[in-house]
Amino acid sequence: MAATAAAGAVCPSLPRLSLRRDRGAACCSLAPATTPQSTRLSPSVSSLQISCCHVTHPWRQSRRFQYKPRCSQAEVANSTVDDDEACELVRGTDVVIGQSDDDSVRAYLLEAVKNNNGTCVLLLSDIFGFEDSATRDFAYRIACHGYNVLVPDLFRGNPWKKSLPMDGFQAWLAEQGPDRVAGDIETCRKWLVDDFLQAAASKKLGVVGFCYGGGRLVETLARDADACFCAGVCFYGSRMDASLGARIAAPVLFVCGDGDPLCPVETVRELEKSARGAKAAVYAGRGHGFAHRPGSLEDDGDAENAFALMKSWLHEHLIS
């Protein structure tokens, strides 16, 4: 399956970057980029090294509670890369996956450079889409720990916007056909397995989902008859079908708050019981979106804890 890499890749939470780099700098220059040109890649090309940029810490500009990613020397196992270098050297690329315009999927690919562990994580976004800063920040942070992360556009360029009136939400949601979304996720999965991971030392694939993406994670793993996914982490999945739990083979970590009406704890507990190897982490007093959109210092503390749980889960099932 072919993929297109767009020149002048967009770094998360930052202006479009040119590919001009200052001497000695870990990141690209912030000079305006020229109009992107697309290059068609052969299916056998898995590195996507052309037309990409090294991205810097997006939190410093976009997060309400600003801090650096918690990369430590111990976490960058079997590497001499120091803390800042491991987190600075993440390569971001805009890609288009698919054989034709009708079935192609836009996505954002983040690759760890010096501490790459050879595995990949498919990240399914919430309703605000793959270009949302909070989603890209979280994807970047996962990549800091050595993973390749692919974030697809689940909404074909039409994510929900915070500025829209809520009385139009159900109509917008109805436009996101379940079969079309499932097909786009399958297109990305197939590309990752057949092309991207072919040259990798590890063939292991994980999936992480937030909110809307969390609900699609449950459906995706229930359809995974070939057991392509080795692990999943579901953050407060919305519209999750608990009856699918028995069909999920990959171990899933379910993360939610007990004050989240969009992700009932009862549904999470049902999935924990029926899905093989599943585990639930329920945070007292936390609402929807606390792990990737913390709204208070209390949220931020639990967000850090939830990220650490996710990191350990992925390490256990994708690397150990």
Side-chain angles (χ1 to χ4, degrees):
M1 184 174 294
T4 298
V10 179
C11 297
S13 307
L14 293 175
R16 181 178 294 278
L17 303 181
S18 76
L19 297 178
R20 189 183 76 238
R21 296 170 62 192
D22 297 329
R23 290 188 178 181
C27 306
C28 302
S29 167
L30 289 179
T34 57
T35 302
Q37 302 294 325
S38 294
T39 304
R40 178 66 61 179
L41 300 182
S42 164
S44 62
V45 179
S46 61
S47 62
L48 296 178
Q49 293 183 16
I50 64 171
S51 303
C52 56
C53 66
H54 293 104
V55 294
T56 189
H57 300 305
W59 299 258
R60 292 173 182 170
Q61 295 189 22
S62 65
R63 280 183 67 96
R64 177 178 175 183
F65 306 104
Q66 297 178 358
Y67 49 83
K68 289 173 58 178
R70 295 187 177 180
C71 297
S72 71
Q73 187 70 24
E75 290 164 343
V76 185
N78 300 318
S79 172
T80 58
V81 181
D82 64 25
D83 297 2
D84 287 338
E85 191 176 10
C87 291
E88 294 284 353
L89 294 182
V90 172
R91 182 167 48 213
T93 313
D94 283 311
V95 298
V96 178
I97 302 168
Q99 299 290 349
S100 67
D101 292 340
D102 291 338
D103 67 359
S104 62
V105 182
R106 295 174 62 211
Y108 192 66
L109 177 67
L110 288 157
E111 298 172 89
V113 177
K114 290 196 174 182
N115 61 333
N116 197 304
N117 58 38
T119 65
C120 195
V121 171
L122 178 63
L123 194 152
L124 306 178
S125 73
D126 59 17
I127 59 175
F128 301 110
F130 83 125
E131 292 181 311
D132 177 75
S133 62
T135 296
R136 290 208 176 181
D137 287 357
F138 202 95
Y140 169 86
R141 202 173 174 199
I142 295 174
C144 281
H145 293 280
Y147 299 93
N148 303 293
V149 185
L150 184 72
V151 191
D153 177 11
L154 299 179
F155 308 111
R156 295 287 183 98
N158 182 34
W160 180 254
K161 298 178 178 60
K162 296 176 184 178
S163 59
L164 295 174
M166 283 304 298
D167 58 8
F169 178 76
Q170 291 302 324
W172 170 85
L173 190 62
E175 295 174 0
Q176 316 308 321
D179 292 340
R180 195 272 303 160
V181 174
D184 287 354
I185 293 173
E186 173 60 16
T187 294
C188 292
R189 182 207 64 79
K190 183 174 176 57
W191 178 74
L192 287 171
V193 172
D194 293 349
D195 294 335
F196 186 79
L197 288 175
Q198 276 300 308
S202 170
K203 309 298 183 189
K204 291 187 175 181
L205 176 63
V207 58
V208 173
F210 298 106
C211 317
Y212 175 90
R216 308 298 73 74
L217 175 149
V218 170
E219 297 164 1
T220 298
L221 293 181
R223 289 191 304 266
D224 187 26
D226 296 329
C228 293
F229 291 98
C230 298
V233 181
C234 179
F235 288 92
Y236 26 79
S238 60
R239 295 176 170 81
M240 294 189 298
D241 185 349
S243 69
L244 297 177
R247 294 164 53 185
I248 296 176
V252 181
L253 173 65
F254 292 94
V255 178
C256 68
D258 65 3
D260 184 353
L262 299 179
C263 180
V265 174
E266 294 78 11
T267 302
V268 170
R269 293 300 186 192
E270 284 185 56
L271 285 164
E272 181 185 25
K273 290 179 182 178
S274 59
R276 283 168 284 177
K279 180 180 178 181
V282 180
Y283 287 81
R286 300 282 77 83
H288 198 66
F290 75 91
H292 75 305
R293 298 180 187 278
S296 67
L297 290 174
E298 291 76 15
D299 276 1
D300 207 48
D302 283 344
E304 284 300 308
N305 184 270
F307 185 90
L309 285 180
M310 178 205 67
K311 186 159 63 73
S312 296
W313 189 265
L314 294 178
H315 188 276
E316 177 183 353
H317 297 288
L318 298 184
I319 300 175
S320 298

